[in-house]
Amino acid sequence: LTGAGPSLQIPEEFIGTGVTFEGLASWYGPGFEGNSTAYGDTFDSRLYTAASKELPLGTWLHIKHEGRGVVVLVNDRGPYVEPRILDLSKAAAEALNMVGKGVGWVQAQIIVKV
């Protein structure tokens, strides 16, 4: 997951695609630690990952929430609670200061490694 982690702006090793979306995101971790993700990885809540029902697995995202930013890799499926659009790992949610809140409104852009 080289390149993933807290970052207010899109890091130099990525380029923005201009494809953006926004909506409610939540975070997950308890009860999933060590399970296989849809991508085949072992879920680790300390890594900067996300789950999406619609985006292709392996998609990189730059996510912003209340003046904070994080780069994550989509490696799982979810969330399964409407109208949420993303489930973030605990590390990603902590980087965005969302853990105590449960859910938050996020802005996301699909990014590509160069």
Side-chain angles (χ1 to χ4, degrees):
L1 291 174
T2 304
S7 182
L8 187 54
Q9 303 298 325
I10 297 171
E12 290 181 9
E13 63 264 33
F14 293 91
I15 56 170
T17 63
V19 177
T20 62
F21 57 95
E22 59 184 81
L24 284 176
S26 55
W27 67 275
Y28 74 122
F32 294 95
E33 197 74 40
N35 290 347
S36 290
T37 67
Y39 201 54
D41 298 331
T42 300
F43 179 75
D44 184 339
S45 63
R46 298 168 297 178
L47 300 178
Y48 297 92
T49 60
S52 169
K53 289 186 288 187
E54 298 176 1
L55 295 171
L57 297 172
T59 300
W60 287 95
L61 298 173
H62 183 252
I63 301 172
K64 290 186 176 182
H65 173 73
E66 295 181 352
R68 295 175 179 236
V70 68
V71 173
V72 299
L73 177 69
V74 175
N75 73 342
D76 211 355
R77 291 293 177 218
Y80 295 104
V81 176
E82 295 296 332
R84 299 176 190 175
I85 60 166
L86 293 171
D87 265 342
L88 305 172
S89 66
K90 186 174 183 182
E94 286 175 339
L96 296 172
N97 197 30
M98 288 178 50
V99 171
K101 301 171 188 173
V103 298
W105 193 263
V106 299
Q107 298 83 37
Q109 180 172 182
I110 296 175
I111 58 176
V112 177
K113 272 193 173 187
V114 288

